[in-house]
Coordinates of all heavy atoms in Angstrom, one line a residue:
G578 N 19.4 -87.0 -119.7 CA 20.8 -87.0 -120.3 C 21.0 -85.7 -121.0 O 20.1 -84.8 -120.9
P579 N 22.0 -85.6 -121.7 CA 22.3 -84.4 -122.5 C 21.1 -84.0 -123.4 O 20.7 -84.8 -124.2 CB 23.6 -84.7 -123.3 CG 24.2 -85.8 -122.5 CD 23.1 -86.6 -121.9
G580 N 20.6 -82.8 -123.3 CA 19.6 -82.3 -124.1 C 18.2 -82.7 -123.6 O 17.2 -82.2 -124.2
R581 N 18.1 -83.6 -122.6 CA 16.8 -84.0 -122.1 C 16.7 -83.7 -120.6 O 17.6 -83.9 -119.8 CB 16.6 -85.5 -122.3 CG 16.5 -85.9 -123.8 CD 16.1 -87.4 -124.0 NE 17.1 -88.3 -123.4 CZ 18.2 -88.7 -124.0 NH1 18.4 -88.3 -125.3 NH2 19.1 -89.5 -123.5
V582 N 15.5 -83.2 -120.2 CA 15.3 -82.8 -118.8 C 14.1 -83.4 -118.2 O 13.2 -84.0 -118.9 CB 15.2 -81.2 -118.7 CG1 16.4 -80.5 -119.3 CG2 13.9 -80.8 -119.5
L583 N 14.0 -83.4 -116.9 CA 12.9 -83.8 -116.1 C 12.2 -82.6 -115.6 O 12.7 -81.8 -114.8 CB 13.3 -84.7 -114.9 CG 14.1 -85.9 -115.3 CD1 14.4 -86.7 -114.0 CD2 13.5 -86.8 -116.3
V584 N 10.9 -82.4 -115.9 CA 10.1 -81.3 -115.5 C 9.2 -81.7 -114.4 O 8.5 -82.8 -114.5 CB 9.2 -80.7 -116.7 CG1 8.4 -79.6 -116.2 CG2 10.2 -80.3 -117.8
H585 N 9.1 -80.9 -113.3 CA 8.3 -81.3 -112.2 C 6.9 -81.0 -112.4 O 6.5 -80.1 -113.2 CB 8.9 -80.7 -110.9 CG 10.1 -81.3 -110.4 ND1 10.3 -81.8 -109.1 CD2 11.3 -81.6 -111.0 CE1 11.5 -82.3 -109.0 NE2 12.1 -82.2 -110.1
R586 N 6.0 -81.7 -111.7 CA 4.6 -81.7 -112.0 C 4.0 -80.3 -112.0 O 3.2 -79.9 -112.9 CB 3.9 -82.6 -110.9 CG 2.4 -82.7 -111.0 CD 1.8 -83.4 -109.8 NE 2.3 -84.8 -109.8 CZ 2.3 -85.6 -108.7 NH1 1.9 -85.0 -107.5 NH2 2.7 -86.8 -108.7
E587 N 4.2 -79.6 -110.9 CA 3.6 -78.2 -110.8 C 4.0 -77.3 -111.9 O 3.1 -76.5 -112.5 CB 3.9 -77.6 -109.4 CG 3.3 -78.3 -108.2 CD 4.1 -79.6 -107.8 OE1 5.2 -79.8 -108.5 OE2 3.8 -80.2 -106.9
L588 N 5.2 -77.3 -112.3 CA 5.7 -76.5 -113.4 C 5.1 -76.9 -114.7 O 4.7 -76.1 -115.6 CB 7.2 -76.5 -113.5 CG 7.9 -75.7 -114.6 CD1 7.5 -74.3 -114.5 CD2 9.4 -76.0 -114.7
A589 N 5.0 -78.3 -115.0 CA 4.4 -78.8 -116.2 C 3.0 -78.3 -116.3 O 2.5 -77.9 -117.4 CB 4.5 -80.3 -116.2
R590 N 2.2 -78.3 -115.2 CA 0.8 -77.9 -115.3 C 0.7 -76.4 -115.5 O -0.1 -75.9 -116.3 CB 0.1 -78.2 -113.9 CG -0.1 -79.7 -113.7 CD -0.6 -80.0 -112.3 NE -0.8 -81.4 -112.1 CZ -1.2 -82.0 -110.9 NH1 -1.3 -81.2 -109.8 NH2 -1.4 -83.3 -110.8
A591 N 1.6 -75.6 -114.8 CA 1.5 -74.2 -115.0 C 1.9 -73.7 -116.4 O 1.3 -72.8 -116.9 CB 2.5 -73.5 -114.0
R592 N 2.9 -74.4 -117.0 CA 3.4 -74.0 -118.4 C 2.7 -74.8 -119.5 O 3.0 -74.5 -120.7 CB 4.9 -74.1 -118.4 CG 5.7 -73.3 -117.4 CD 5.7 -71.8 -117.7 NE 6.4 -71.0 -116.7 CZ 7.6 -70.7 -116.8 NH1 8.4 -71.0 -117.9 NH2 8.2 -69.9 -115.9
G593 N 2.0 -75.8 -119.2 CA 1.4 -76.7 -120.2 C 2.4 -77.6 -120.9 O 2.2 -77.9 -122.1
W594 N 3.5 -77.9 -120.2 CA 4.5 -78.8 -120.9 C 4.2 -80.2 -120.7 O 3.6 -80.7 -119.7 CB 5.9 -78.5 -120.2 CG 6.4 -77.1 -120.5 CD1 5.9 -76.2 -121.4 CD2 7.5 -76.5 -119.8 NE1 6.6 -75.0 -121.4 CE2 7.6 -75.2 -120.4 CE3 8.4 -76.8 -118.8 CZ2 8.6 -74.3 -120.0 CZ3 9.4 -75.9 -118.5 CH2 9.5 -74.7 -119.0
A595 N 4.5 -81.0 -121.7 CA 4.3 -82.5 -121.7 C 5.5 -83.2 -122.2 O 6.4 -82.6 -122.8 CB 3.1 -82.8 -122.6
V596 N 5.5 -84.5 -122.0 CA 6.7 -85.3 -122.5 C 6.8 -85.2 -124.0 O 5.9 -85.2 -124.8 CB 6.5 -86.8 -122.1 CG1 7.6 -87.7 -122.7 CG2 6.4 -87.0 -120.6
G597 N 8.1 -84.9 -124.4 CA 8.4 -84.8 -125.8 C 8.4 -83.3 -126.3 O 8.9 -83.0 -127.4
D598 N 7.9 -82.4 -125.5 CA 7.9 -81.0 -125.8 C 9.3 -80.4 -125.8 O 10.1 -80.9 -125.0 CB 7.0 -80.2 -124.9 CG 5.5 -80.4 -125.1 OD1 5.2 -81.1 -126.1 OD2 4.7 -79.9 -124.3
S599 N 9.5 -79.5 -126.7 CA 10.8 -78.7 -126.7 C 10.6 -77.4 -125.9 O 9.7 -76.7 -126.1 CB 11.2 -78.4 -128.1 OG 12.4 -77.7 -128.1
V600 N 11.4 -77.3 -124.8 CA 11.3 -76.1 -124.0 C 12.6 -75.4 -124.0 O 13.7 -75.9 -124.2 CB 10.9 -76.5 -122.5 CG1 9.6 -77.2 -122.5 CG2 12.0 -77.4 -121.9
T601 N 12.5 -74.1 -123.7 CA 13.7 -73.2 -123.7 C 14.1 -72.9 -122.2 O 13.2 -72.3 -121.5 CB 13.5 -71.9 -124.5 OG1 13.2 -72.2 -125.8 CG2 14.8 -71.1 -124.4
L602 N 15.3 -73.2 -121.8 CA 15.7 -73.0 -120.5 C 17.1 -72.2 -120.5 O 18.0 -72.7 -121.2 CB 15.9 -74.3 -119.7 CG 14.7 -75.2 -119.6 CD1 15.1 -76.5 -119.0 CD2 13.6 -74.5 -118.7
A603 N 17.1 -71.1 -119.9 CA 18.3 -70.2 -119.9 C 18.8 -70.0 -121.3 O 20.0 -70.0 -121.6 CB 19.4 -70.8 -119.0
G604 N 17.9 -69.8 -122.3 CA 18.3 -69.5 -123.6 C 18.6 -70.7 -124.5 O 19.0 -70.5 -125.7
R605 N 18.5 -72.0 -124.0 CA 18.9 -73.1 -124.8 C 17.7 -74.1 -124.9 O 16.9 -74.2 -123.9 CB 20.1 -73.8 -124.2 CG 21.4 -73.1 -124.3 CD 22.5 -73.8 -123.6 NE 23.8 -73.1 -123.7 CZ 24.7 -73.3 -124.7 NH1 24.4 -74.2 -125.7 NH2 25.8 -72.6 -124.7
P606 N 17.5 -74.8 -126.0 CA 16.4 -75.7 -126.1 C 16.7 -77.1 -125.5 O 17.8 -77.6 -125.6 CB 16.2 -75.8 -127.7 CG 17.6 -75.6 -128.2 CD 18.3 -74.6 -127.3
F607 N 15.6 -77.6 -124.9 CA 15.7 -79.0 -124.3 C 14.4 -79.7 -124.6 O 13.4 -79.1 -124.8 CB 15.9 -78.9 -122.8 CG 17.3 -78.3 -122.3 CD1 17.5 -77.0 -122.1 CD2 18.4 -79.2 -122.2 CE1 18.7 -76.5 -121.8 CE2 19.6 -78.7 -121.8 CZ 19.8 -77.3 -121.6

Side-chain angles (χ1 to χ4, degrees):
R581 295 189 297 274
V582 299
L583 306 182
V584 178
H585 286 233
R586 177 188 297 161
E587 292 80 2
L588 177 62
R590 291 174 179 172
R592 301 286 178 97
W594 293 347
V596 174
D598 288 353
S599 179
V600 298
T601 301
L602 302 171
R605 290 178 179 267
F607 292 90

